[in-house]
Amino acid sequence: MNDLSLHIIDILQNSIVAGATLVTLTVEENTAADRLRIVIEDNGRGMTAEQVTRLADPFFTSRTTRKVGMGIPLFRQTAEQSGGSLSVSSTPGVGTTVEAKFSLSHIDRPPLGALANSFILTATGHPSTEFILNYIYNDREYRFDTREVKEALDGLPLGLPQVVVMLDEMVRENIDELKKGFE
């Protein structure tokens, strides 16, 4: 995958398929620690310890629509090639947490890519699932919560094209604002 946002979309989709009603994406860039951390947490079906162990096998998937599950193995490979790691913790009936760590300055670390766009398109495309984005850049934090946005929109559907464009721009601008003065 060319950028990390594509890995994130894949894991967000896994959360949706697992029946999650709330998915939280946390992206933390810490330039002093030379660390990029991506955490996706959901309240979906969860997995047994055996299923979590089998996630390293690209030929293991719980989906019935296909026979391979490349998302976690590829994400893990990308993290490890970038001086980092990937871990998965899960509890049946509670949910799953996927955490990937990267060396921020590692030459093999893919860029984040169109993170705001990827997140917003996923969130607006699944209106029955609530999404939270926590973006942390050094000591600054931005939070986007679809529950708050839905309340502010007062019944206007998230999936309307003009709303999607507005939300994408809003998230991108807020993330850019966090980074001002650090570069």
Side-chain angles (χ1 to χ4, degrees):
M1 293 191 197
N2 295 338
D3 60 58
L4 296 174
S5 68
L6 297 176
H7 289 288
I8 292 169
I9 289 172
D10 187 61
I11 304 304
L12 293 175
Q13 290 293 334
N14 288 349
S15 295
I16 294 162
V17 169
T21 57
L22 177 64
V23 182
T24 302
L25 167 62
T26 301
V27 177
E28 179 184 3
E29 290 185 69
N30 186 319
T31 56
D34 190 37
R35 183 184 69 233
L36 170 64
R37 186 172 156 261
I38 298 169
V39 181
I40 298 141
E41 301 171 274
D42 71 47
N43 67 350
R45 278 191 295 280
M47 295 177 281
T48 65
E50 178 189 348
Q51 288 172 310
V52 171
T53 303
R54 294 188 64 199
L55 288 176
D57 178 0
F59 298 104
F60 169 74
T61 181
S62 60
R63 293 185 185 178
T64 57
T65 56
R66 62 182 186 211
K67 296 186 189 279
V68 294
M70 298 295 287
I72 293 291
L74 286 175
F75 200 19
R76 175 175 280 122
Q77 179 183 12
T78 300
E80 290 173 354
Q81 288 177 343
S82 304
S85 61
L86 183 131
S87 64
V88 179
S89 60
S90 191
T91 304
V94 176
T96 301
T97 300
V98 176
E99 179 178 17
K101 296 178 184 176
F102 303 83
S103 173
L104 198 56
S105 64
H106 198 285
I107 193 168
D108 291 327
R109 182 187 59 81
L112 270 171
L115 178 71
N117 185 260
S118 298
F119 177 79
I120 291 300
L121 287 176
T122 303
T124 58
H126 298 89
S128 62
T129 304
E130 301 299 346
F131 291 86
I132 297 171
L133 168 64
N134 296 309
Y135 198 101
I136 304 162
Y137 190 84
N138 293 329
D139 63 344
R140 299 176 183 171
E141 184 172 350
Y142 168 67
R143 180 180 173 94
F144 175 95
D145 187 327
T146 56
R147 295 170 294 195
E148 294 170 1
V149 171
K150 287 175 183 176
E151 186 177 318
L153 290 174
D154 195 31
L156 196 60
L158 286 182
L160 287 176
Q162 59 269 39
V163 172
V164 173
V165 169
M166 178 205 57
L167 294 175
D168 177 49
E169 289 174 0
M170 181 182 76
V171 171
R172 275 189 293 113
E173 288 171 4
N174 278 288
I175 291 172
D176 289 346
E177 187 66 30
L178 280 183
K179 296 181 177 186
K180 279 188 178 171
F182 284 103
E183 292 147 358

